[in-house]
Amino acid sequence: MTDLIVVGGGIVGLCAALRAAEAAMRVTLIDAASNAGTTTNAGSLHVQLQSRFMRVHPDQAHNVEASLPFYLKAVKEWERLAQGLGSMDLVRRGGLMLAEDAAQLDFLVAKAKREAAAGLNVELLDRRALETLAPWLGPQIIGAELCHDEGKLNPLLANRLIRERAEQLGVRFIRDRVLGIEPASPLVVACERERHTAEQVLIAAAWGSGDLLRPLGLAVQTKAEPLHMNITEPAASAIHHLVQHAERSITLKQLQTGQIVIGGGWPASERPGGGVPKVRAASLLGNVGLAGRLVPGLRGLRVIRSWAGMNTTVDGKSTLGRLPAQDRVLLAVPGDAGYTLGPLCGRVVAELAAGISVEHDLQPFSPQRFKSA
């Protein structure tokens, strides 16, 4: 038996396991290692309200807006991790959201006011300012919002460094698929290959959490959203900011390797029976075509890889804490931009499990709001 079983080996589960092990808990992490989001992530550190999310999930946007101070704390948590674990190619020089017409610019003006009220460091830039800050932008860009709090990192480096440190602290990693959690004493985690027992269980299984929670009396509607991404061959370093658009679905950033990562919510296709999502040709062409329009200097670059992974949506708000009816089971599911929020979500819930005082007010994120009638 172990002190804590973490279900899910993405960024949330990794960071939860790491923090629990730092608190001298015996930790086992169980992950099926298939159809994951973290291992296919592009490494954006989002803080400002994303126009795509506001457009696709308008009923959830208010929950993301209310969580903006938590996003600020999340990027600082990433900086803390990088200081302790080593270079993750983490850069925080801000994020640009671009406007190509007056209506888009008006949208950014209104959005920036709301974000500033929540404590974000944002400013509006006209074309003249962009000529100096981002001369690589296309001539049709008339203005942009700059969120100084945003950044980017290399997720391949980050994921490896976090796992290596967790292993050094004694975290046991098991590759298996969790089928259910039995509320016995101790708790039983039933998997395809064997059964495991623990004093506490922390569920960090992203879109897979809903099925595990339902028998425990919590109706969390976690949804898997298959999305598409691309990466180019290396180019001369020029793009220092995370780039988004006021209306179109795109994120664009340059890694320290010189490669350009292009994504931002273009759909992929789920495969029958599960498995890694399938790339759609239309998303590949549309995504890189839009990138070339916004940043003309990219047009001569070759795309060397395209892939797809799973994003998770719930209600726009993170879900963090102990289950109402099973207080030895804890839940850590980030809101929108799960990779950004992952380390902070994992840490605070692991501290709950370890009996450590948590610095953040988790009441707004309580699983209680999903309690079954």
Side-chain angles (χ1 to χ4, degrees):
M1 188 175 73
T2 189
D3 296 324
L4 179 69
I5 288 178
V6 177
V7 179
I11 190 63
V12 180
L14 283 173
C15 291
L18 173 59
R19 182 67 185 100
E22 288 174 343
M25 297 184 79
R26 297 170 297 169
V27 183
T28 297
L29 186 150
I30 305 175
D31 184 70
S34 66
N35 206 358
T38 291
T39 54
T40 59
N41 194 272
S44 301
L45 297 182
H46 293 288
V47 178
Q48 66 178 304
L49 293 166
Q50 295 184 63
S51 58
R52 174 189 177 272
F53 189 90
M54 297 171 74
R55 185 177 68 255
V56 177
H57 304 289
D59 58 316
Q60 301 177 22
H62 66 285
N63 278 340
V64 176
E65 186 171 355
S67 303
L68 289 179
F70 199 64
Y71 283 77
L72 287 172
K73 295 172 182 176
V75 290
K76 291 176 182 177
E77 178 68 12
W78 270 112
E79 290 184 329
R80 188 192 69 81
L81 273 177
Q83 290 170 2
L85 299 179
S87 174
M88 299 173 179
D89 291 349
L90 192 156
V91 176
R92 282 186 67 196
R93 294 184 62 174
L96 289 167
M97 188 169 286
L98 311 177
E100 296 182 88
D101 60 38
Q104 293 171 6
L105 194 57
D106 288 345
F107 165 79
L108 293 180
V109 170
K111 185 170 79 74
K113 289 181 180 178
R114 292 157 59 185
E115 291 164 340
L120 274 60
N121 183 3
V122 296
E123 64 175 309
L124 277 299
L125 305 176
D126 60 16
R127 179 68 204 189
R128 179 176 296 182
L130 288 173
E131 293 284 359
T132 301
L133 186 71
W136 33 265
L137 287 171
Q140 80 281 12
I141 307 300
I142 65 169
E145 178 187 0
L146 173 60
C147 177
H148 293 277
D149 306 298
E150 294 194 308
K152 55 187 179 178
L153 54 79
N154 186 329
L156 298 179
L157 284 175
N159 299 342
R160 177 175 59 80
L161 288 170
I162 296 167
R163 175 164 178 148
E164 286 177 351
R165 181 57 178 154
E167 289 175 332
Q168 291 168 4
L169 291 175
V171 175
R172 180 186 177 206
F173 286 82
I174 296 175
R175 182 169 178 172
D176 205 347
R177 184 175 302 279
V178 174
L179 303 177
I181 298 165
E182 301 171 11
S185 183
L187 294 167
V188 176
V189 177
C191 301
E192 287 184 345
R193 295 189 180 93
E194 56 184 318
R195 294 161 65 87
H196 307 271
T197 58
E199 292 295 335
Q200 298 183 86
V201 173
L202 193 160
I203 301 174
W207 53 269
S209 300
D211 289 342
L212 297 175
L213 293 165
R214 200 166 296 111
L216 299 174
L218 211 62
V220 183
Q221 300 300 316
T222 56
K223 299 177 183 177
E225 185 181 25
L227 299 179
H228 174 93
M229 281 161 283
N230 312 277
I231 190 166
T232 73
E233 63 184 332
S237 179
I239 303 173
H240 304 300
H241 300 86
L242 174 63
V243 179
Q244 299 179 82
H245 193 275
E247 190 172 281
R248 302 294 303 279
S249 296
I250 192 165
T251 58
L252 186 153
K253 59 188 165 294
Q254 188 167 26
L255 301 178
Q256 291 189 21
T257 60
Q259 295 170 289
I260 312 293
V261 181
I262 304 166
W266 289 72
S269 299
E270 292 189 68
R271 294 182 186 272
V276 177
K278 183 180 179 181
V279 168
R280 292 185 187 179
S283 288
L284 191 163
L285 296 173
N287 199 194
V288 300
L290 176 58
R293 193 184 86 196
L294 301 178
V295 184
L298 303 184
R299 292 174 183 169
L301 294 177
R302 292 173 293 184
V303 173
I304 60 173
R305 186 164 69 94
S306 295
W307 71 98
M310 284 295 191
N311 186 44
T312 300
T313 63
V314 184
D315 63 354
K317 189 189 298 186
S318 298
T319 309
L320 309 170
R322 296 186 181 276
L323 302 199
Q326 302 290 341
D327 65 358
R328 289 177 297 142
V329 180
L330 303 98
L331 180 60
V333 177
D336 186 45
Y339 197 77
T340 302
L341 294 172
L344 183 56
C345 290
R347 178 167 74 85
V348 298
V349 178
E351 288 175 347
L352 280 179
I356 298 171
S357 177
V358 178
E359 299 175 4
H360 311 282
D361 178 15
L362 300 186
Q363 184 57 39
F365 309 118
S366 171
Q368 181 73 32
R369 68 187 191 273
F370 296 111
K371 186 178 180 181
S372 301

